[in-house]
């Protein structure tokens, strides 16, 4: 892999990290709500999280 | 029992600096300065080299004690919480600790197993994001992709199993503990591999 490709890949991964930040903030906010309300995640909260997990795993599998 | 853990300093993370430089590039573009992706990559490399050289110099002169902590995180015993801390150790505090559900839960007084697994899975999703971008890149190495394929399959299956276990019985059974332990190992292997390849 050439230097230019490595740099490009680094930038792409950095951009992906930037894209993931809003989701990360939403998850953090959800956790803070759960802690404040002393409750476990709701089914809806789990489903949102699972959709992201499954979707990203499928991308890695190439599907 | 409590134990303290440490994690890689944020300022040693290529990902963090990549994000910062990309954001700065957007800002300076308002004044007509064009920071190309290639130049941004060089800037990040220079920053990391400077950080590395600065750290080495300080260590040589003994002016600082080596410390890998972004901030000390107190972790109570329990395999579920270990899963989150493993992710923090993997450098997954993207966007800084304040944007991190894992960090929030690690700081919490007495989180439930379900809350911990929720935070752990949200941290895992960050790693999946980075892996997905790598796999879809033209620069991806097919051997690395094959390993990521295998490790992500195992990690996703085990973390979903752990979630199912804590949702069904609150994480109190031996079965749930075993499921969370399995998820811990699988996710840790995935994150360790990503880190070893510079993807995280």
């Amino acid at each position: 892999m050439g230097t230019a490709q490595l740099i490009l890949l680094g930038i792409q991964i950095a951009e992906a990290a930037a894209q993931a930040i809003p989701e990360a903030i939403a998850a953090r906010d959800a956790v803070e709500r759960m802690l404040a309300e002393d409750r476990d995640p709701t089914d809806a909260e789990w489903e949102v999280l699972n959709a992201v997990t499954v979707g990203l795993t499928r991308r890695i599998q190439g599907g | 029992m409590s134990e303290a853990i440490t994690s890689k300093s944020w300022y040693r993370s290529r990902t963090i600096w990549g994000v910062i430089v990309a954001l700065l590039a957007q800002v300076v573009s308002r004044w007509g300065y064009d920071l190309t992706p290639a130049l941004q990559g060089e800037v990040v490399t220079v920053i990391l080299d400077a950080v590395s050289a600065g750290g080495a110099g300080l260590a040589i002169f003994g002016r600082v004690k080596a410390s890998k902590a972004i901030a000390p995180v107190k972790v109570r015993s329990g395999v579920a919480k270990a899963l989150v801390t493993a992710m923090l150790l993997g450098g997954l505090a993207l966007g800084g600790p304040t944007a991190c559900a894992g960090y929030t839960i690690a700081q919490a007084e007495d989180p439930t197993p379900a809350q911990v697994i929720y935070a752990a899975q949200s941290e895992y999703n960050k790693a999946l994001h980075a892996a997905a971008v790598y796999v879809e890149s033209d620069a991806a190495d097919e051997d690395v992709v094959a390993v990521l394929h295998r490790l992500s399959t195992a990690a996703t299956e085990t973390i979903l199993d752990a979630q199912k276990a804590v949702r069904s019985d609150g994480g109190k059974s031996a079965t749930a503990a075993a499921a969370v332990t399995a998820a811990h190992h699988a996710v840790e292997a995935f994150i360790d591999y990503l880190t070893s390849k510079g993807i995280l």
Side-chain angles (χ1 to χ4, degrees):
Chain A
M1 189 186 301
T3 304
Q5 282 181 308
L6 279 171
I7 290 170
L8 181 60
L9 181 58
I11 295 296
Q12 287 174 331
I13 290 173
E15 286 176 353
Q19 289 167 8
I21 286 174
E23 278 176 17
I25 291 172
R28 179 209 58 192
D29 291 347
V31 168
E32 286 178 350
R33 277 197 306 275
M34 290 169 208
L35 291 169
E37 296 166 9
D38 192 23
R39 63 171 176 82
D40 282 341
T42 64
D43 287 347
E45 287 168 334
W46 282 121
E47 293 317 310
V48 169
L49 195 63
N50 289 346
V52 175
T53 303
V54 171
L56 288 169
T57 304
R58 282 192 185 138
R59 277 176 60 188
I60 294 169
Q61 315 300 329
Chain B
M1 191 174 87
S2 293
E3 58 182 325
I5 65 159
T6 57
S7 58
K8 183 174 77 173
S9 301
W10 67 269
Y11 51 80
R12 292 185 187 277
S13 166
R14 177 172 292 277
T15 303
I16 296 290
W17 281 114
V19 172
I20 292 170
V21 171
L23 291 173
L24 286 175
Q26 283 195 345
V27 172
V28 299
S29 68
R30 291 169 177 262
W31 291 284
Y33 295 100
D34 183 19
L35 216 57
T36 64
L39 188 54
Q40 290 177 34
E42 289 176 8
V43 169
V44 170
T45 299
V46 167
I47 291 170
L48 288 172
D49 285 348
V51 166
S52 179
L58 288 169
I60 288 168
F61 286 101
R63 293 187 182 278
V64 294
K65 287 183 179 179
S67 169
K68 289 187 174 180
I70 295 174
V73 180
K74 292 289 183 185
V75 182
R76 287 182 299 280
S77 59
V79 287
K81 208 148 186 183
L83 177 55
V84 168
T85 55
M87 294 171 173
L88 294 174
L89 283 166
L92 276 175
L94 302 180
T98 55
C100 183
Y103 187 83
T104 300
I105 212 76
Q107 300 280 27
E109 283 288 320
D110 191 22
T112 67
Q115 290 168 344
V116 173
I117 292 297
Y118 183 92
Q121 191 175 333
S122 75
E123 296 301 309
Y124 173 59
N125 284 350
K126 295 184 199 173
L128 285 175
H129 258 292
V133 170
Y134 178 86
V135 166
E136 291 167 352
S137 165
D138 293 337
D141 181 293
E142 64 181 33
D143 291 337
V144 174
V145 170
V147 174
L148 288 176
H149 188 147
R150 177 172 56 81
L151 293 178
S152 65
T153 299
T156 296
E157 283 179 2
T158 55
I159 203 162
L160 291 177
D161 284 347
Q163 180 197 128
K164 188 176 175 184
V166 298
R167 291 175 73 179
S168 65
D169 68 9
K172 294 170 185 168
S173 68
T175 305
V180 173
T181 300
H184 178 190
H185 292 311
V187 170
E188 193 173 44
F190 179 61
I191 289 172
D192 283 350
Y193 187 72
L194 288 172
T195 305
S196 73
K197 293 298 174 187
I199 299 170
L200 278 181

